Amino acid sequence: MLQIDRWKRILIIGICVLGMFYALPNLFYSRVEVHNDAVKTIEQTGAETPELIDERAGWPNWMPSGLVNLGLDLRGGAHLLAEVHLEDVYKSRMDSLWPELRRDMSAERETLGAIRRVSSPDGTLRIEIGEPAGINRAVEIVRSYSSPVTSLTGAGQSSLSIRTEGNAILVQLSDAEKTASNDRTVQQSLEIIRRRVDEVGTREPTIMRQGADRILIQVPGIGSAEELKALIGTTARLTFNSVVSTGTDPDGPADVGQVVLPAADQPGFYYTIETSPVVTGEELTDAMPATDQNGMPAVDFRFNPTGARKFGNYTAANVGQPFAIVLDDEVISAPVIRQAITGGSGQISGSMNFEEASRLAVLLRAGALPTELTFLEERTVGPELGQDSIDAGSLSAIIATVAVAIYMVLSYGLFGVFAATSVIINVVLILSAMSVMGATLTLPGIAGIVLTVGTAVDANVIIYERIREELRAGKRVVRAINDGFNEAMSAIIDANVTTFIAAAVMFFLGSGPVKGFAVTLTIGLVTSVFTAIFLTRLMIIWWIEWRKPKELIL
């Protein structure tokens, strides 16, 4: 019959109370956000300033502090769609392979004759040897640098494609290695972008891969797309290279394996340097903004043991010679080596202000991007527009809820009041679930909540119509209500399962706004089934136990 055990009643009420408890911080959004920021800062820095302590005290520690994260379209911020230059990695791999091959082939000069790298398309390495009879030995040396491809699709294949043409060897990455390299490059770019964005303390950024070579970056709370591009669009590739010569001609002579680069702080002045670096930024362990001996902005850095050893050996062997500090194809400094630098640390100074020095330190700590990015799409969403979106979304949700409540009350009287109460509790449970999960609310997400409000009463309508039919059949009130719930159950479950399947497809195959819509719709389905079947039933039972009605007009 129409009964619910006591423990079930406690469980239903408990879930509703917990839902309201965890949704409560969203009513004090700014206050709780300041509290959370202060707690995070104290945990990261270990410093407790009076301001941080006051901000932390703005919300009780024993209260939940989880908030529904606001997406880019609600908070405002910057949106970028970047394309990763995958082909540049192929060229970089070949350029770095050449010094190793030259060293090994030079050791067998008697067999191979003169060895030289000749011009070839980017991403390839063409080597000519003086003795055609030694071509097989040269191929063996090149093949020793080829390794099995470490990917499922490239299993059993080698990383290098080697071809001979007379006395020349043409080397490039194999197709399988290119595929594996593309995946690694995009993943590495994703990770480095995430580190750079996290360094500046932005909230809940969205950084995800789109397609084969694109990355979507959405950072709420940042000033503009230009600011975001300045943070993540810089490759920050730091290298220390040997200086061959200097001059004022940007098209000055440069042999294979050399390149002419401009000086960052001396317009019209150029350095010809070896493309193979002595040490790279990947061997840095730390970088901090500092000042040089003249009090000008600078960046102090420190190498790891391997980098420190390589740097120490090079400086010991080249005392009196200049070496170039190159950042993103610009020579930012070219000091002369006065003595061997074996401590593994150094300083970058030049034409930069303190803000630029701080940003350079952030970029160097986060690591260099493996290749350049091209921004295909950029958009700035102002905070005012985001607030307008929040206001419009909130207003539509309130109007929808009130309209549905009025309709239900007019259609079903007191039982409509029960249904309207369930709808309100349903919205509260959605917000609490999103707060606990740390889900992000977007404009489509608000649309999902509004849609859930409309569909949440579907189950109540089905139940009430079944009850009406049972009453028309002459059954008593309690029996009619009990049979109405039981008969409607299968239709309610079927309707929600089909909607859940559609929402699951949108979640797993969609991205961005579509995924946000799917999240709120899925949570809303679960909570609406709970409120319609269990909470409404409990309210009806309480009413029956209190009033003990002999008849029911529905």
Side-chain angles (χ1 to χ4, degrees), residues 36-175:
N36 291 346
D37 289 345
V39 171
K40 184 178 179 182
T41 303
I42 291 172
E43 289 177 350
Q44 288 179 343
T45 63
E48 295 190 13
T49 64
E51 292 79 12
L52 288 174
I53 292 174
D54 289 343
E55 291 174 353
R56 184 179 62 182
W59 184 253
N61 286 327
W62 55 270
M63 289 284 288
S65 57
L67 292 170
V68 176
N69 298 312
L70 300 181
L72 182 70
D73 47 3
L74 297 180
R75 181 185 288 277
H79 161 106
L80 295 175
L81 180 63
E83 183 179 52
V84 184
H85 291 200
L86 299 174
E87 290 77 10
D88 289 353
V89 178
Y90 310 154
K91 180 179 184 300
S92 176
R93 292 274 298 273
M94 291 298 104
D95 289 343
S96 62
L97 180 61
W98 166 236
E100 306 290 333
L101 290 176
R102 181 176 57 187
R103 184 196 61 204
D104 288 359
M105 289 182 171
S106 297
E108 301 196 26
R109 192 178 295 275
E110 291 183 359
T111 304
L112 305 180
I115 303 154
R116 67 190 184 106
R117 179 182 181 181
V118 296
S119 178
S120 62
D122 286 347
T124 63
L125 176 60
R126 187 181 181 89
I127 306 170
E128 286 186 358
I129 61 174
E131 296 292 342
I135 193 70
N136 291 333
R137 176 55 188 155
V139 170
E140 285 181 19
I141 293 174
V142 175
R143 189 165 288 131
S144 67
Y145 284 89
S146 183
S147 57
V149 176
T150 54
S151 70
L152 290 176
T153 56
Q157 301 185 52
S158 300
S159 60
L160 295 180
S161 170
I162 305 168
R163 184 161 53 90
T164 59
E165 294 178 357
N167 66 331
I169 304 173
L170 187 65
V171 187
Q172 62 181 339
L173 297 180
S174 66
D175 291 340

Side-chain angles (χ1 to χ4, degrees), residues 297-308:
V299 176
D300 287 341
F301 60 87
R302 189 170 67 251
F303 288 118
N304 62 20
T306 304

Side-chain angles (χ1 to χ4, degrees), residues 466-482:
R466 294 294 304 180
I467 293 174
R468 277 178 173 172
E469 292 179 7
E470 300 299 333
L471 290 172
R472 290 193 199 102
K475 293 184 179 179
R476 293 188 174 184
V477 172
V478 175
R479 183 60 179 265
I481 293 173
N482 186 63

Side-chain angles (χ1 to χ4, degrees), residues 19-33 36 59 63-70 390 394 427-436 438-439 441:
M20 289 186 278
F21 188 58
Y22 279 95
L24 186 62
N26 294 286
L27 289 179
F28 308 91
Y29 202 95
S30 299
R31 193 166 144 193
V32 178
E33 196 171 55
N36 291 346
W59 184 253
M63 289 284 288
S65 57
L67 292 170
V68 176
N69 298 312
L70 300 181
I390 294 174
S394 302
V427 174
V428 172
L429 291 180
I430 292 173
L431 292 178
S432 65
M434 294 184 70
S435 300
V436 173
L441 182 65

